[in-house]
Amino acid sequence: MFIGCQFSLYPMADGFVGVILDAIKDLDKYTKLRRQTDDLSTLLVGPPEELFPALEECFTAASRSGEHVVMQVTFSRGCPGEPDDPICRTDLLPPRPTDATPENLTRAALERLRKPEKSGIDTACQISLYPLGGGDHMADIYACIAFLKASTVNVTAKNFCTRLDGDAADVMAVIEQTFIGFAHPGGHVVLTATLSANSPSKKRAA
Amino acid sequence: MFIGCQFSLYPMADGFVGVILDAIKDLDKYTKLRRQTDDLSTLLVGPPEELFPALEECFTAASRSGEHVVMQVTFSRGCPGEPDDPICRTDLLPPRPTDATPENLTRAALERLRKPEKSGIDTACQISLYPLGGGDHMADIYACIAFLKASTVNVTAKNFCTRLDGDAADVMAVIEQTFIGFAHPGGHVVLTATLSANSPSKKRAA
């Protein structure tokens, strides 16, 4: 299994370099993550147990600058083009239930959903889940949307993605469950997430 | 068929609102596009004939501000959860070749690739193609990577995405061909693209 993400932080401020460097300065403590950075994004490879806390820390740290900040993340697991990597070994990826109906997938994800301590960062987010490589991918997506609607964040339908509003810690816990809880545990799954804080814009569509 | 994208502009500058408003002020001239904006992204629905020029214009206009600017786009076509929409009627989506070998898909995309006038905007980009709903999705991805390597931009492999470097006009022409030229024309296909200009960071990974 190969698990990881490419992520980028976009602080909408003249001092964006300082906001980014400050947000990522403590990433070394996540000793199970391998990192590689270029001018477009940072690659993190490793288990979800460290991936999600590390991303939450970067996003909340950048948001505490007070600037309008966006974090873009592309998560991937099981890509057939990537080698197995022992660094990605995880206990979080649940086995596919014997009776993997949409209702059972939704219920199991809700039971696993963490109720973390609030971060205090009001977060707007949109996510898309892409279960690749066959099977009825829309059934997994609809099961996931049912999970989102019953979860700890507010959910709004959009074209091509689903909008989540809530505390950054809840949003990240919901994204984690979306990533691990739907589509086959051995399948190729991609999830994209855009998280935003401190936007001066109104939330409603125009 | 339902074709469109969600896109966002991220100018890394205190004056980000002005850069964005200036970049999108001429979008009304694309009369075949339907638009909807919230605080996270702008939805464009319509044919590729207008989608790609509109996005290129927004990105190059924002980049001419001189600020470090990133544009994030999620393109989608054929999503089974969306209704058919006459506004999306297009002559650009090529029929699947009778003999759809990877080599034939690659060659046909290279033949169709536009050689546009340069924009003068040096652009770093990364893209990912997600052919959904079955079939051998990795075969389409490998055919697409062969096309990218023989195209008008410089290509670098990354985990979970492919990096493209070149003039913004060439990058956008290559993205257009990636979106329409691989995976079944009636299939559900998603393509994500991150375009960046004026970054102060070094291009190589560290």
Side-chain angles (χ1 to χ4, degrees), chain A residues 22-192:
Chain A
D22 197 52
I24 65 172
K25 70 176 164 33
D26 292 328
L27 278 183
D28 281 346
K29 72 177 176 223
Y30 296 98
T31 54
K32 290 179 183 161
L33 296 181
R34 194 167 67 239
R35 290 210 311 271
Q36 193 171 37
T37 296
D38 66 14
D39 56 317
L40 286 168
S41 59
T42 291
L43 171 74
L44 298 179
V45 176
E49 287 88 337
E50 295 218 331
L51 212 47
F52 288 90
L55 289 168
E56 183 181 329
E57 183 171 325
C58 288
F59 178 68
T60 53
S63 300
R64 288 201 176 94
S65 68
E67 305 292 357
H68 173 29
V69 172
V70 168
M71 185 166 78
Q72 168 69 33
V73 196
T74 298
F75 298 92
S76 172
R77 61 176 169 88
C79 176
E82 307 280 3
D84 256 342
D85 193 323
I87 204 178
C88 300
R89 212 203 65 75
T90 174
D91 293 319
L92 272 192
L93 210 58
R96 187 82 164 172
T98 321
D99 185 11
T101 62
E103 294 73 19
N104 283 351
L105 291 174
T106 300
R107 189 181 315 117
L110 284 170
E111 283 169 8
R112 283 190 306 264
L113 179 60
R114 293 185 289 111
K115 308 287 182 308
E117 205 175 319
K118 306 286 181 197
S119 70
I121 305 292
D122 192 19
T123 301
C125 172
Q126 57 195 30
I127 62 171
S128 301
L129 179 68
Y130 306 119
L132 292 148
D136 181 0
H137 73 293
M138 293 304 291
D140 278 298
I141 289 172
Y142 292 135
C144 179
I145 290 173
F147 155 72
L148 296 173
K149 286 183 176 167
S151 78
T152 48
V153 299
N154 290 320
V155 173
T156 313
K158 292 185 67 166
N159 292 97
F160 315 138
C161 57
T162 301
R163 179 180 178 125
L164 314 175
D165 285 278
D167 185 274
D170 286 325
V171 167
M172 200 53 88
V174 166
I175 295 174
E176 177 187 79
Q177 227 26 257
T178 301
F179 183 57
I180 67 172
F182 300 88
H184 198 281
H188 180 193
V189 177
V190 169
L191 185 155
T192 60

Side-chain angles (χ1 to χ4, degrees), chain B residues 44-102:
Chain B
L44 298 179
V45 177
E49 286 88 338
E50 295 218 331
L51 212 47
F52 288 90
L55 289 167
E56 183 180 328
E57 183 171 326
C58 287
F59 178 69
T60 53
S63 300
R64 288 200 177 94
S65 69
E67 305 292 357
H68 173 28
V69 172
V70 168
M71 184 166 78
Q72 169 69 31
V73 196
T74 299
F75 299 91
S76 173
R77 62 173 168 90
C79 176
E82 307 280 3
D84 255 343
D85 195 323
I87 205 178
C88 300
R89 212 204 64 76
T90 174
D91 293 318
L92 273 192
L93 211 57
R96 187 82 164 172
T98 323
D99 185 12
T101 61

